[in-house]
Amino acid sequence: MGENLHDIDKLFRDSLEEHEEVPSEKIWDALDNNLDKSNVIQIKRKYNNLKRLAVALLLLLLGTIIYEIQSKKTGKEIVANKNTAEKKGSNNSANKEDETGTSSTVTNSNAANSNSINNAGKDSSNNPVQQAAQDPGINTTINSEKNPSGEKQNNATVIKNNSDHKRKTAAITEDKLADNNEVNKPQVKRSSGHRTNITVKKGKAEEDLVDENNAAVQNATSNATDPVNELIRFQSNPAERINSWLQKDNDATINSKRVSPDADLSGSTAKNKSLKNPKPFHFNVTAFYSPQFSFNRLEDDHHDPGPQQGNGREEIKKDEPHERSSSVGVLVEIPVGKKLSLQSGVTYLNKTISIEPKKIYAKLDNDGKVKYRFDCSSGYTYIAPKSGTTPAVGDSVNAAASSNTLQYVGVPLGVNYTFAVGKFNIIPGIGTTANILVKQKIETELIQGSSKEKQTINNIEGMKPVYFNVYTGVSLEYNVSKRIAVNVTPSGNFALSSINKNAAVKSYPNSFGIGAGIKIKF
Amino acid sequence: MQEQLNQLIQYCIKGERHSQSKLYALLSPRMFAICLRYSKNREEAEETLQEGFMKVFENLQQFKFAGSFEGWVRKIMVNCALQKFRSKSHLRAVVNIDDVKIEYGDTENISSQLGTKELLQMVQLLPAAYRMVFNLYVFEGMKHREIAEALGISEGTSKSNLSDARAILKKAVVNSAQIAKQNTN
């Protein structure tokens, strides 16, 4: 017996090491149920990942739509400008005196000039100059460039007189030339007096041009731009040059007014106005306040249970039944289409989580000192009693009702779509917010016997400096005046990432709120 | 045998409930005995066993098929027991060692007189902190430094707890042996 007692370890090891005992059947039944729940959770996790992917794709899609809308809008402006140019083309004509003494008549300003130049050698079967006269405008030029026949263009020699009296000559040649194109070599000369004279060199088409178009052209390009280079660039890439040509066309209209006061400029004036103010407003600013109903989605932090492992998910969930949060902020909205707008700004979120009274235990902290460990959904902290003896590992103390306060500054980025209904707007929106942690605090009261000790901790272990969430909502807006609107916005915020890591649980804050705001349009 | 076990594990990873049931039936008696040693009663041991097997099934894909599968499962069970110990109240036991008087009896083999269940009950009746240290030292073969890290205590506390646990168990064994001897007579 003495031998056995001297080696008590061996006695127990030998007896219990190989011991087996069958557990009750209810254990497997419970496991069976829990495995079903676990499968559901795994599916939910996969679903969450899919949701994140869907949000990313949605944002990408919205970006693409915005880009497309912008592109189409630019195209519409071009067409509108072209139409205006055509109207002007029929109204504006000016006499132009040829330096060579030949009086030629060309309809309209630069656009028409280029048109006639381009069309001069375009089609061997038709009179190119006639076509130029009948169909002046940018579109004609573009069509001629796109003509699949390839039997077009151009042997145009453009001569320009600069103010320093130097001359530059540019020749634009294509491989295929129609036979009669060779004789059509329009010549553009620009004098130092800011006038451009267009001379169609003698050829078959020239005489027709002179005969049929008995009008002079006021140089619309005023003086700064080199028409020779522009013509070359235009021919190489007409689409890119359209806007600059149209702008010059506007100038031409203005100049032609000096020459021909009777010209109808109403269309041009309207167009200029519309170009100056293409959007009803450039941006708007919304100030808002939103009380929120918050709830945390808690997940076990899947680390091997170590010495720092704290309370479990269920325990923390039970201890933190109530949350209060509210946010204020200023949002800037920039329209990117008739109905679409981008939204960003700054928000400030204040959240207070109430924690029920609970017992906390002394453990070794990260510095090896024994302190009471306080776990909550945000993270954990170690509390050293201000008075009394230092606790030993395993000692416990009661923590009275506590609170955990978190404050974040958020930078949202989202997309809004506006449905206008009379004075009301319905504006659904979606976006994501980067939330930057600016304040973290736990307030509690340790109760040891009859003594109470208030504790405030401003550093919670495990908190991430930034977390991201996706927000969505529908703003109901009433336009008080042209510039001011008020709105009410029910919204939802769902965390994409946890607010903490390496803590007892991972916490994903979600919330629903109703915001009230005032919008000022600029 | 090993191949069959590996195949069973693979099926469990795929989530086949029948295979999970078979794996549970294969390992649960041994694991339940371990849980009983770390718990103060049968109910607590069953809770630990349930949590442990949930973790086993949830993390089965992390098993590398390199070492002993039973050893891997056993480690999870022990970790679950430690986690439960840390999360619950476990105030330090106050034991006056002077009160524990060891009485050496005859040279009879005590283990033959005491049943396994009796010895198991003695371990279960130890204060939680002592029980943990005793189990980790005697059955898991851990050093005091490792035990201290696992339980969040100092090395000295671990040694002290082990010494106290041994003293209590020795007294319990002697008492039980004497009672058994008296009954025999």
Side-chain angles (χ1 to χ4, degrees):
Chain A
M1 183 170 178
E3 188 183 339
N4 283 313
L5 287 177
H6 281 303
D7 199 353
I8 195 90
D9 294 356
K10 188 172 182 299
L11 171 68
F12 278 87
R13 194 185 303 120
D14 291 345
S15 300
L16 300 179
E17 182 70 60
E18 300 301 321
H19 177 56
E20 289 186 6
E21 197 160 332
V22 179
S24 66
E25 288 183 2
K26 67 178 182 182
I27 304 296
W28 171 249
D29 294 338
L31 266 173
D32 200 17
N33 288 333
N34 287 345
L35 285 169
D36 287 336
K37 287 178 190 169
S38 176
N39 286 342
V40 172
I41 290 167
Q42 282 180 351
I43 290 166
K44 274 186 181 174
R45 272 186 203 152
K46 283 180 187 173
Y47 180 64
N48 282 340
N49 290 335
L50 282 174
K51 274 199 291 188
R52 287 169 195 170
L53 185 67
V55 168
L57 286 174
L58 185 66
L59 290 175
L60 187 67
L61 181 66
L62 284 172
T64 310
I65 290 169
I66 291 164
Y67 176 78
E68 287 294 322
I69 288 170
Q70 283 292 88
S71 302
K72 283 180 182 174
K73 191 180 170 187
T74 309
K76 281 180 183 176
E77 281 178 0
I78 290 167
V79 172
N81 291 340
K82 185 211 75 176
N83 290 337
T84 310
E86 283 177 351
K87 282 179 185 175
K88 278 191 301 175
S90 62
N91 293 327
N92 300 333
S93 60
N95 290 324
K96 183 79 181 171
E97 192 176 334
D98 194 348
E99 280 187 354
T100 61
T102 305
S103 180
S104 65
T105 303
V106 180
T107 305
N108 211 350
S109 56
N110 279 351
N113 292 341
S114 65
N115 185 41
S116 64
I117 290 165
N118 290 331
N119 283 324
K122 180 180 172 184
D123 194 342
S124 59
S125 62
N126 296 325
N127 186 332
V129 184
Q130 277 181 342
Q131 188 176 342
Q134 286 165 3
D135 191 15
I138 301 301
N139 243 10
T140 310
T141 307
I142 293 169
N143 290 337
S144 70
E145 292 281 20
K146 290 179 178 175
N147 191 343
S149 69
E151 295 180 356
K152 59 177 183 182
Q153 298 283 0
N154 287 322
N155 193 359
T157 304
V158 184
I159 303 166
K160 185 195 76 171
N161 271 341
N162 281 332
S163 57
D164 58 357
H165 303 293
K166 287 181 181 176
R167 290 194 173 209
K168 289 181 181 176
T169 302
I172 305 159
T173 309
E174 286 197 0
D175 295 337
K176 295 181 180 178
L177 290 172
D179 295 336
N180 61 349
N181 281 349
E182 291 176 2
V183 297
N184 296 324
K185 296 180 179 176
Q187 201 173 60
V188 178
K189 290 182 181 179
R190 184 176 151 199
S191 71
S192 59
H194 309 306
R195 286 190 167 194
T196 299
N197 300 321
I198 298 177
T199 301
V200 180
K201 283 188 177 178
K202 288 194 180 292
K204 289 179 181 176
E206 182 190 8
E207 289 178 8
D208 294 336
L209 179 69
V210 172
D211 291 338
E212 292 184 15
N213 303 309
N214 191 17
V217 177
Q218 169 70 37
N219 178 12
T221 58
S222 63
N223 41 29
T225 313
D226 184 347
V228 178
N229 291 333
E230 282 200 334
L231 180 61
I232 295 165
R233 286 198 297 272
F234 184 86
Q235 286 181 330
S236 62
N237 192 354
E240 284 184 6
R241 304 304 303 164
I242 285 172
N243 278 334
S244 62
W245 280 83
L246 287 170
Q247 185 58 48
K248 282 186 287 184
D249 199 35
N250 292 337
D251 297 338
T253 305
I254 294 163
N255 287 339
S256 67
K257 188 180 179 182
R258 294 176 197 152
V259 178
S260 178
D262 296 333
D264 180 10
L265 297 173
S266 58
S268 171
T269 310
K271 185 193 73 180
N272 284 337
K273 281 182 181 176
S274 69
L275 282 172
K276 281 177 185 174
N277 296 308
K279 295 168 187 171
F281 61 94
H282 297 293
F283 67 96
N284 60 49
V285 178
T286 304
F288 75 95
Y289 169 75
S290 173
Q292 294 178 342
F293 166 71
S294 302
F295 56 97
N296 275 335
R297 181 165 60 85
L298 302 181
E299 282 184 4
D300 285 322
D301 207 350
H302 293 289
H303 286 86
D304 286 336
Q308 305 306 330
Q309 189 78 8
N311 293 3
R313 176 167 58 93
E314 292 301 327
E315 204 167 334
I316 288 174
K317 199 172 182 180
K318 189 181 70 184
D319 288 340
E320 300 179 13
H322 304 298
E323 282 190 36
R324 300 187 311 277
S325 67
S326 61
S327 66
V328 294
V330 177
L331 300 173
V332 178
E333 202 178 357
I334 300 167
V336 290
K338 278 185 179 177
K339 294 186 174 181
L340 274 177
S341 58
L342 286 177
Q343 183 176 271
S344 186
V346 180
T347 63
Y348 173 79
L349 172 69
N350 185 66
K351 181 197 281 193
T352 304
I353 304 167
S354 301
I355 304 171
E356 297 283 301
K358 62 180 180 179
K359 192 175 276 187
I360 58 175
Y361 298 96
K363 291 177 182 176
L364 284 175
D365 71 359
N366 299 330
D367 300 326
K369 295 176 182 173
V370 180
K371 294 176 183 173
Y372 293 107
R373 174 166 163 145
F374 191 100
D375 283 291
C376 62
S377 60
S378 303
Y380 63 92
T381 188
Y382 287 97
I383 305 171
K386 291 172 186 169
S387 59
T389 55
T390 307
V393 172
D395 285 355
S396 65
V397 67
N398 287 318
S402 316
S403 69
N404 173 19
T405 304
L406 301 174
Q407 291 174 0
Y408 287 92
V409 168
V411 181
L413 178 63
V415 181
N416 290 342
Y417 191 88
T418 304
F419 296 99
V421 185
K423 275 198 148 187
F424 290 91
N425 291 330
I426 301 170
I427 309 170
I430 189 169
T432 184
T433 305
N435 296 286
I436 302 155
L437 181 67
V438 291
K439 190 173 182 182
Q440 46 185 312
K441 187 170 71 173
I442 290 176
E443 287 178 304
T444 187
E445 195 173 47
L446 300 184
I447 304 171
Q448 290 177 306
S450 59
S451 67
K452 293 181 179 177
E453 185 180 294
K454 282 196 172 179
Q455 291 272 358
T456 302
I457 297 98
N458 292 311
N459 183 31
I460 304 172
E461 300 287 339
M463 293 289 297
K464 285 183 186 173
V466 179
Y467 84 93
F468 293 88
N469 73 288
V470 62
Y471 70 88
T472 182
V474 180
S475 185
L476 308 172
E477 190 172 274
Y478 176 73
N479 292 310
V480 178
S481 68
K482 276 186 177 179
R483 294 292 173 194
I484 297 174
V486 291
N487 57 47
V488 176
T489 310
S491 64
N493 297 283
F494 308 98
L496 293 172
S497 59
S498 65
I499 63 168
N500 55 1
K501 61 180 179 181
N502 299 332
V505 292
K506 280 185 179 177
S507 188
Y508 295 82
N510 301 320
S511 66
F512 292 105
I514 295 182
I518 181 165
K519 181 188 279 187
I520 302 170
K521 300 170 185 176
F522 294 95
Chain B
M1 179 66 187
Q2 187 60 40
E3 280 184 11
Q4 285 177 343
L5 179 65
N6 288 347
Q7 201 170 15
L8 188 64
I9 295 167
Q10 292 287 7
Y11 288 137
C12 290
I13 291 171
K14 288 176 185 171
E16 287 187 9
R17 192 56 51 84
H18 179 64
S19 300
Q20 288 172 336
S21 171
K22 280 176 76 174
L23 192 68
Y24 172 79
L26 185 71
L27 294 175
S28 62
R30 182 73 57 85
M31 296 306 139
F32 187 52
I34 292 168
C35 293
L36 281 168
R37 279 204 324 262
Y38 280 90
S39 309
K40 65 180 177 186
N41 53 38
R42 195 177 175 87
E43 287 71 30
E44 192 180 300
E46 286 179 344
E47 277 180 30
T48 308
L49 183 75
Q50 187 182 322
E51 287 174 20
F53 265 103
M54 272 306 294
K55 287 196 174 177
V56 167
F57 289 131
E58 283 174 352
N59 300 291
L60 207 50
Q61 69 278 3
Q62 292 177 17
F63 178 63
K64 303 280 192 282
F65 294 92
S68 160
F69 179 67
E70 189 180 321
W72 185 76
V73 176
R74 179 191 176 114
K75 197 175 176 183
I76 289 176
M77 295 296 163
V78 172
N79 279 338
C80 279
L82 291 176
Q83 193 175 5
K84 193 174 278 291
F85 164 73
R86 281 191 294 262
S87 66
K88 288 196 171 179
S89 173
H90 46 273
L91 294 176
R92 287 156 64 93
V94 179
V95 178
N96 189 352
I97 301 300
D98 295 336
D99 295 341
V100 181
K101 293 178 182 174
I102 303 169
E103 297 173 12
Y104 294 97
D106 301 330
T107 54
E108 294 165 2
N109 192 336
I110 292 174
S111 58
S112 65
Q113 293 178 21
L114 299 177
T116 305
K117 285 198 174 179
E118 260 185 302
L119 291 173
L120 178 63
Q121 199 175 15
M122 287 175 197
V123 175
Q124 287 182 322
L125 288 173
L126 284 172
Y130 293 179
R131 188 168 62 240
M132 290 296 147
V133 173
F134 183 76
N135 269 303
L136 293 175
Y137 187 87
V138 174
F139 294 98
E140 311 306 327
M142 289 169 74
K143 308 292 181 196
H144 282 296
R145 182 178 49 78
E146 295 168 329
I147 295 169
E149 280 179 14
L151 296 178
I153 58 175
S154 69
E155 215 172 312
T157 306
S158 174
K159 287 176 183 173
S160 168
N161 285 356
L162 179 66
S163 174
D164 291 352
R166 279 174 176 159
I168 293 169
L169 289 173
K170 277 179 183 174
K171 189 183 177 186
V173 165
V174 169
N175 288 341
S176 295
Q178 283 177 346
I179 292 167
K181 191 178 176 184
Q182 285 170 5
N183 289 340
T184 307
N185 294 336

